[in-house]
Amino acid sequence: VEPSDGDLGGGFGSGGSTECNNRNSRDACDLIDFSDLWEDERIIDQNLRPCMQPVISDIKNLGQGSVGRIIQRFAGSTPGYNWELTDGRLAGGINAHTSQNYNSSTGTVTTTFDSYKFTNSTDLSVARTILHESIHAYLVAYFRLDPLSASQTFAQLLQDYFQLQDVNAAHHNEMTRNFVNEIAIALQEYGINKGYNLDFEFYQDMAWAGLTTTSAFQALSESVKNRINNTIQVELVGVDTNGNPQAQRGSRIGC
Ligand SMILES: [Zn+2]
């Protein structure tokens, strides 16, 4: 959902290890190994508007799947590598943007959220946005901190980057390969914690948000694409892709 800037590479690193007992995604699983390098990172979110604070606060407690574990690693309490979430105005239809610029002196990756784009958005819509951006932030930091390992784990991402010359597009392709289902699992955990009773298909559809320009999305059938686009749109703005008001599944956060 955001324009591209910056490039990949630089930094240092060494391998970490942890048990990887989760599911079918080998790369996502490898990523959890990397998270051991990040025992000391933090989420810095005091510059988010108050309307967004409850969502990030709940997301910090997600524990299932690789995305939940990535978030949990970010949420550690000691100083070190940071994920800064801040509020700011973004152009056009862009509601969040993770900078490719890793601040090596403070160890910080920064994501900007345009909360004024969330006026009619539900908590589920904001949560999926934060989860999506957390993957961007994670990939940015991984390639900066441990480029060798990152290049091995995400060889296809690197290939896409060299071919497309667009880091965000390369990230998004990687997300379609390894993170759509992981984002869905994390979002479902969030939804269950909020007391929602929704099909997993809903969460999977939501997980495609920000990825609808990828070839993996384009390859889906028209009816599935329409369903996904409508689901994303309704939670984001309260109307479907035809502009008709529709009931939202989540609760508006009141931004
Ligand atoms: Zn994105």
Side-chain angles (χ1 to χ4, degrees):
V1 270
E2 51 287 291
S4 71
D5 58 62
D7 57 2
L8 300 169
F12 66 92
S14 63
S17 70
T18 184
E19 90 292 346
C20 189
N21 54 11
N22 99 318
R23 55 188 49 85
N24 39 28
S25 165
R26 167 140 172 77
D27 284 352
C29 195
D30 287 347
L31 196 51
I32 290 168
D33 289 347
F34 166 69
S35 69
D36 264 10
L37 290 170
W38 274 37
E39 287 166 84
D40 298 331
E41 70 283 346
R42 290 183 302 156
I43 293 177
I44 303 167
D45 58 12
Q46 57 266 43
N47 290 327
L48 284 179
R49 279 174 67 213
C51 57
M52 291 189 60
Q53 297 282 355
V55 183
I56 185 66
S57 170
D58 288 338
I59 282 179
K60 282 180 187 174
N61 294 319
L62 297 178
Q64 286 176 24
S66 66
V67 179
R69 290 173 69 176
I70 285 168
I71 294 281
Q72 272 215 327
R73 295 289 183 170
F74 273 125
S77 56
T78 49
Y81 305 118
N82 308 310
W83 183 29
E84 181 185 38
L85 294 78
T86 189
D87 192 73
R89 306 289 72 80
L90 299 169
I94 299 166
N95 53 29
H97 169 65
T98 297
S99 173
Q100 295 291 331
N101 301 317
Y102 174 77
N103 183 330
S104 51
S105 60
T106 61
T108 302
V109 182
T110 300
T111 300
T112 303
F113 294 88
D114 190 345
S115 60
Y116 290 97
K117 304 268 174 59
F118 296 129
T119 308
N120 294 318
S121 302
T122 67
D123 50 359
L124 292 167
S125 189
V126 173
R128 64 85 177 158
T129 305
I130 294 171
L131 294 170
H132 177 101
E133 297 303 323
S134 80
I135 306 301
H136 279 301
Y138 206 83
L139 291 171
V140 169
Y142 192 7
F143 274 91
R144 295 295 170 155
L145 292 167
D146 195 353
L148 285 180
S149 172
S151 304
Q152 287 164 355
T153 304
F154 295 109
Q156 185 63 50
L157 186 163
L158 205 58
Q159 238 173 37
D160 285 354
Y161 170 65
F162 289 131
Q163 197 194 327
L164 302 167
Q165 293 296 310
D166 181 337
V167 187
N168 258 298
H171 278 194
H172 287 160
N173 284 348
E174 190 61 41
M175 290 191 206
T176 68
R177 286 189 291 269
N178 278 299
F179 292 104
V180 170
N181 205 53
E182 299 296 323
I183 291 171
I185 289 166
L187 189 62
Q188 183 187 43
E189 185 184 353
Y190 174 87
I192 289 170
N193 289 346
K194 299 306 289 179
Y196 301 132
N197 183 15
L198 301 164
D199 293 343
F200 189 58
E201 182 180 86
F202 168 83
Y203 294 109
Q204 283 177 310
D205 289 355
M206 289 289 282
W208 279 100
L211 305 176
T212 54
T213 59
T214 60
S215 51
F217 181 81
Q218 294 304 325
L220 299 172
S221 74
E222 286 306 313
S223 64
V224 170
K225 282 190 282 193
N226 287 338
R227 188 193 68 217
I228 292 173
N229 281 326
N230 271 306
T231 299
I232 292 168
Q233 189 76 0
V234 167
E235 291 306 305
L236 183 63
V237 293
V239 298
D240 62 24
T241 52
N242 293 319
N244 299 316
Q246 299 290 346
Q248 293 175 308
R249 314 288 181 91
S251 313
R252 289 194 181 180
I253 60 168
C255 268

